[in-house]
Amino acid sequence: MKRILAGAFACMLAVSASAALAQSKPPPLKIGGILDMSSLYADITGSGSETAAKMAVEDFGGEVLGRKVEVVVGDHLNKADLAANIARDMLDNQGVEMIFDVAASATALAAGEIAKARGKIIMFNGPGSIRLTNEACGPYTVHYVFDTFAQANVTGLAAVRSGLDTWFFLTADYAFGQDLEKDTTNVVVKTGGKVLGSVRHPINTSDFSSFLLQAQASKAKVIGLANAGGDTINAIKQAAEFGLTKSGQKLSPLLAFVTDIDSVGLDTAQGLLLAEAFYWDLNDDTRAFTKRFMERTKRVPTSAQAGVYSSVTHYLKAVKAAGTTDAAVVMKVMKETPINDMFAKNGRIREDGRMVHDMYLFEVKKPSESKGRWDDYKLLATVPGNEAFQSLENSRCPLVKK
């Protein structure tokens, strides 16, 4: 009996010790990715963004302020209401402190409102709408990789200056596409060009024939593709089948990623002009990161995925420096600290939440110029961030003091 009682007492002590240890151990710091894991932007962000976030956490050491860092993700299926619900669940129920990526603009605008209402940091990597740092800006919102203004500014300006001065737009009919068309139109007209017309198509369109016929009939020198992902890929492929480029018209994808060019192929994509925030083969730092990323994913990172790695790292550094996860304190540190890594050199987060960094103008290589898969771009120009992005003077963000 004594042995039984002693054993029971020992078990009780062990359970009590375990419970005490569990109570003293701080909860994990959770960061949440709201991603397109299964639809037309899955290659741009998707599982690659999840991998990039986990790499950033691992490279940082896996913990901060004595708390293990965990990455949780949700698939928004390109539905704004679902993105809002995921954001609400992450922040209210899962204990997530920061949300990243939120690929696509409509979903980002929806999730952004949830984060703003709860005073939590949200960092956008995949979406492009300029509204995210204009009317929809917030004190804890960061737009990290690109936006419709910079894409339009870098691509449109170069095209018009080279004589491609008449445009027709194929536009995805939602916030991102509408903003991209509007911003590019402003650049084209300001630079002396003309817009001859536009047509809007539903997101995730499989048949562009009627839209391309209207573009062809316009006789515009440039057909601007104000869309992204699978829509851009389908439009480029079908434009080639229609013989648009052979007839003298030039396609300009206003937002394209290296994964899009890989899907289209250099035979069809050669000669395209496009703006990017990152390219894997820019320098030794980008190549070193890409080598490690490819070991896990078997493909090079897009600018959005590289931006996830950079933004998550910047956030964790700020948490460590601040000594807290309080959003106001962490955001102050993030805005005061320059960003220098494989994604950006001397990048900075402005008061409107725009992360300002260099942008790049590329031309897609001919097949004969490429050394192999993913060797797709020729660098034509590096555009400083203060020239590429909208100025604070023109910002419509209520936080900007004028």
Side-chain angles (χ1 to χ4, degrees):
M1 180 63 71
K2 289 182 179 179
R3 285 198 298 269
I4 293 173
L5 288 173
F9 184 66
C11 288
M12 289 174 63
L13 285 176
V15 170
S16 297
S18 297
L21 184 62
Q23 288 178 355
S24 65
K25 188 176 182 181
L29 169 59
K30 294 183 180 181
I31 58 175
I34 304 180
L35 312 171
D36 180 356
M37 302 293 281
S38 54
S39 189
L40 76 164
Y41 303 137
D43 284 347
I44 296 170
T45 65
S47 60
S49 284
E50 180 181 7
T51 297
K54 288 180 176 178
M55 287 176 64
V57 170
E58 291 169 14
D59 289 349
F60 192 76
E63 64 176 45
V64 65
L65 306 183
R67 298 169 64 181
K68 180 183 177 183
V69 182
E70 291 184 6
V71 177
V72 297
V73 300
D75 185 358
H76 62 43
L77 303 176
N78 275 315
K79 296 179 180 178
D81 57 344
L82 181 55
N85 288 337
I86 293 172
R88 191 177 293 111
D89 181 59
M90 283 183 172
L91 298 177
D92 292 351
N93 303 320
Q94 297 187 49
V96 166
E97 292 287 350
M98 183 273 277
I99 291 174
F100 65 87
D101 203 335
V102 203
S105 294
T107 50
L109 289 163
E113 289 303 309
I114 301 299
K116 190 188 302 184
R118 285 152 178 78
K120 294 295 185 180
I121 293 172
I122 186 165
M123 305 183 77
F124 299 117
N125 306 100
S129 175
I130 188 68
R131 298 182 207 183
L132 293 167
T133 49
N134 276 331
E135 300 85 353
C137 74
Y140 310 122
T141 297
V142 180
H143 202 177
Y144 208 85
V145 177
F146 63 93
D147 61 33
T148 50
F149 184 95
Q151 295 295 133
N153 202 28
V154 174
T155 309
L157 199 62
V160 175
R161 285 178 175 173
S162 68
L164 301 170
D165 54 4
T166 56
W167 287 63
F168 186 96
F169 291 98
L170 263 65
T171 302
D173 194 12
Y174 73 112
F176 162 75
Q178 295 159 16
D179 286 350
L180 192 50
E181 178 187 332
K182 178 183 176 182
D183 290 335
T184 310
T185 294
N186 290 339
V187 173
V188 168
V189 173
K190 185 178 179 180
T191 316
K194 294 181 180 180
V195 175
L196 304 184
S198 66
V199 61
R200 293 183 175 177
H201 66 80
I203 191 171
N204 230 347
T205 294
S206 58
D207 184 4
F208 280 87
S209 56
S210 64
F211 309 119
L212 290 168
L213 286 172
Q214 292 178 64
Q216 192 173 38
S218 74
K219 306 295 184 183
K221 294 178 183 178
V222 183
I223 301 170
L225 303 179
N227 50 25
D231 285 335
T232 299
I233 292 169
N234 286 336
I236 293 173
K237 286 181 177 179
Q238 291 174 37
E241 293 169 3
F242 272 79
L244 264 66
T245 51
K246 289 183 179 179
S247 66
Q249 290 179 301
K250 192 173 186 69
L251 284 180
S252 179
L254 298 170
L255 178 63
F257 296 84
V258 69
T259 47
D260 300 329
I261 303 304
D262 183 67
S263 295
V264 171
L266 295 184
D267 282 333
T268 301
Q270 59 183 303
L272 293 178
L273 289 177
L274 51 89
E276 280 260 40
F278 171 90
Y279 179 50
W280 71 270
D281 199 22
L282 274 176
N283 52 53
D284 289 343
D285 289 341
T286 60
R287 286 187 285 271
F289 171 75
T290 296
K291 182 180 179 182
R292 294 195 300 123
F293 185 86
M294 287 189 73
E295 288 172 355
R296 303 190 185 204
T297 65
K298 309 306 178 187
R299 56 199 305 148
V300 300
T302 64
S303 59
Q305 292 160 350
V308 165
Y309 178 91
S310 177
S311 60
V312 169
T313 301
H314 190 59
Y315 170 77
L316 293 175
K317 286 181 177 178
V319 169
K320 181 179 180 180
T324 178
T325 58
D326 180 82
V329 180
V330 173
M331 182 60 75
K332 184 175 185 295
V333 174
M334 287 203 298
K335 288 183 176 179
E336 292 174 348
T337 308
I339 299 163
N340 285 290
D341 57 17
M342 56 81 201
F343 180 80
K345 296 291 182 284
N346 295 314
R348 60 187 179 89
I349 300 173
R350 298 189 314 204
E351 58 195 276
D352 61 347
R354 174 69 258 167
M355 201 282 267
V356 178
H357 54 82
D358 291 348
M359 292 286 292
Y360 306 97
L361 180 68
F362 295 105
E363 181 180 352
V364 177
K365 289 182 175 182
K366 300 175 183 177
S368 59
E369 297 172 320
S370 175
K371 298 176 183 177
R373 189 181 182 189
W374 307 115
D375 180 24
D376 295 339
Y377 293 167
K378 287 190 292 186
L379 179 63
L380 298 184
T382 299
V383 182
N386 61 346
E387 296 178 17
F389 293 99
Q390 175 182 267
S391 68
L392 271 179
E393 289 74 19
N394 293 325
S395 174
R396 300 186 295 279
C397 172
L399 300 173
V400 175
K401 299 175 183 178
K402 296 184 180 181

